[in-house]
Amino acid sequence: MKIIAYGIRNDEMPYLKEWEQKNPEVEVKVETKLLDSSTVEEANGFDGVVAYQQKPYTKEILDKLGSFNIKYLSLRNVGVDNVDADAAKANGITVTNVPAYSPNAIAELAITEIMRLLRNTKRFEDKQRSGDLRWAPEIGQELNSKTVGVFGTGRIGHVLVDICRGFGAKVIAYDPFRNPELEKQGIYVDTPDDLYKQADIISLHAPAVKENEHMVNEKTLSEMKDGSYIINAARGSLIDTDALIKALDSGKLAGAALDTYESEVGVFNVNFDSFDDISDDRLKNLMSRDNVLITPHIAFYTETAVRNMVTLSLDANRDLINTGKSDKIVKL
Ligand code: COI
C-alpha cells in the first residue's frame, strides 16, 4: 500500500516516522510541498493522499486525483471548507478529516487571548520596549465579572465553555444544533442577536459554511455591547474585516483577537522578513493596533494536536485503502 503525504513539516516528521514503524506494510512518501496544481502529478501511482488545509482543493486537483484513480483523500485537519465537494463526489473521492485532534488546543488559545485582551498585555509589552514600566492607564478587567458568548458549541466551543466557567465567568452560547448536556445547564440563548446583545466577549467557534460568511458584519457589530471583544480562532470568513476595522476605530469594540483572517492564504505561516514587506494593508492595520492580537492560525499548533493530526489522518487513509471504511469520513 502506498500513501503520499503532502505538506509535511519538520515538526510532523517524528510522528510520521513513529507511525511508519508501527505500520511497516505501508509505504509513505513524504512531500514537503503542499498539494496544489503544481504538485498533484506526484500522486500518480499512490493508493491514497494525505494533506492538510491551506490551499483550496479545486476541481482541477480533484479531477487529476480522480484520473489517477485515487479514491481516498485524508485531511490532517478539521475544516473541509476548501474542498470542492461536487468535484470530490464526481470523482468518487472519499474525504476524511481529523475532527478532534485537540479541541483543547483551540480553546486554550481562545482563553489565552481573552485574558491578554482583558489585562492589556500587548500594551504593557509595547510600553516596556521603550522603558516605560508604569501601571497606568492600562488598568485591567476581570473575566469573572464578564459574560462570555460562545458562538458554536461543538467540541471546541464546549471546552471553552468549561474553561470560562472555571474562571467564574457567566457563559452564554448560541448554536443551531444544541448540545443536550449544555442545554440542560441552560446556557443557550435563542438567537445570535441575543448572544451579541448580552455578551462582553464573543468567541467564534462556527464552521465556514456559506450561511456563516461575514456573520460578524456592520449590522451584527452594531448590536454588540459597546466595548465588547471578539475572538476568532475559527475561520477568517466569519468576520467582515472592513466592518471590524470600523468597529475598532469607533471604539464599539474594545479589542479583538484573530487567529484566522479572511485573506490569510499565502500570508500566514510565511516569513516576510520585515513588517514592511507584508503587502496586506488591512492586516498591517490590524497588527499595528495595541488592542488587536493577531496570531497566524496557530490555535491548532501544539505537540498533542500535531501528533494526532498526523497519526489519525494516516490511520484513516490506511483504513480506507484496506476496507473502504473509516469513522472519519466527511459528509460533503
Ligand atoms: C483545522 O483543523 O481546520 C485548522 O484550522 C488547522 C489548520 C492546519 C488548517
Side-chain angles (χ1 to χ4, degrees), residues 52-53 77-79 101 235 297 300 309:
Y52 83 100
Q53 182 177 42
N77 56 284
V78 188
Y101 48 78
R235 282 292 180 264
H297 210 134
F300 81 98
M309 290 164 106

Side-chain angles (χ1 to χ4, degrees), residues 159-330:
V159 174
L160 186 65
V161 168
D162 292 342
I163 292 176
C164 289
R165 282 188 168 150
F167 275 84
K170 178 176 176 195
V171 185
I172 57 172
Y174 175 78
D175 198 318
F177 309 99
R178 293 183 174 193
N179 173 305
E181 192 191 319
L182 292 175
E183 171 117 63
K184 268 191 237 142
Q185 297 166 15
I187 72 163
Y188 286 108
V189 292
D190 292 332
T191 65
D193 284 1
D194 293 334
L195 190 96
Y196 298 142
K197 284 185 183 134
Q198 293 173 37
D200 301 299
I201 301 152
I202 293 163
S203 195
L204 305 177
H205 300 284
V209 290
K210 193 93 203 93
E211 54 275 24
N212 289 344
E213 198 176 322
H214 285 184
M215 53 184 265
V216 173
N217 53 42
E218 226 164 290
K219 181 178 171 294
T220 52
L221 279 159
S222 73
E223 282 156 15
M224 292 175 196
K225 281 189 175 179
D226 290 345
S228 52
Y229 295 90
I230 289 204
I231 316 295
N232 187 8
R235 282 292 180 264
S237 63
L238 304 183
I239 297 186
D240 174 342
T241 307
D242 293 329
L244 180 85
I245 289 174
K246 271 196 205 152
L248 288 161
D249 282 343
S250 70
K252 176 76 190 176
L253 285 180
L258 308 178
D259 186 54
T260 56
Y261 165 59
E262 56 182 331
S263 312
E264 73 180 54
V265 175
V267 180
F268 280 4
N269 201 19
V270 171
N271 181 5
F272 288 91
D273 287 321
S274 82
F275 181 82
D276 290 342
D277 288 338
I278 301 171
S279 55
D280 184 330
D281 288 334
R282 286 194 310 181
L283 181 62
K284 280 160 77 171
N285 171 323
L286 290 164
M287 287 169 77
S288 305
R289 292 171 188 256
D290 59 9
N291 59 345
V292 175
L293 309 174
I294 301 285
T295 46
H297 210 134
I298 59 158
F300 81 98
Y301 196 50
T302 68
E303 290 173 1
T304 305
V306 170
R307 171 191 286 272
N308 288 335
M309 290 164 106
V310 171
T311 56
L312 299 177
S313 60
L314 283 164
D315 283 351
N317 210 250
R318 176 204 58 206
D319 293 349
L320 284 176
I321 297 166
N322 273 336
T323 66
K325 291 190 192 130
S326 160
D327 59 357
K328 297 193 173 46
I329 294 176
V330 179

Side-chain angles (χ1 to χ4, degrees), residues 77-91:
N77 56 284
V78 188
V80 290
D81 41 292
N82 67 329
V83 179
D84 184 325
D86 292 337
K89 280 184 217 151
N91 284 290

Side-chain angles (χ1 to χ4, degrees), residues 3-8 12 33-36 48-55 57 65 72-77 82 96-98 309 313-314 317:
I3 295 174
I4 179 163
Y6 281 96
I8 294 286
E12 294 179 297
K33 294 194 189 120
L34 296 170
L35 171 60
D36 63 17
V49 171
V50 168
Y52 83 100
Q53 182 177 42
Q54 205 155 0
K55 291 185 172 176
Y57 300 138
L65 293 180
Y72 307 120
L73 172 62
S74 296
L75 304 180
R76 305 203 284 287
N77 56 284
N82 67 329
T96 59
N97 68 349
V98 185
M309 290 164 106
S313 60
L314 283 164
N317 210 250

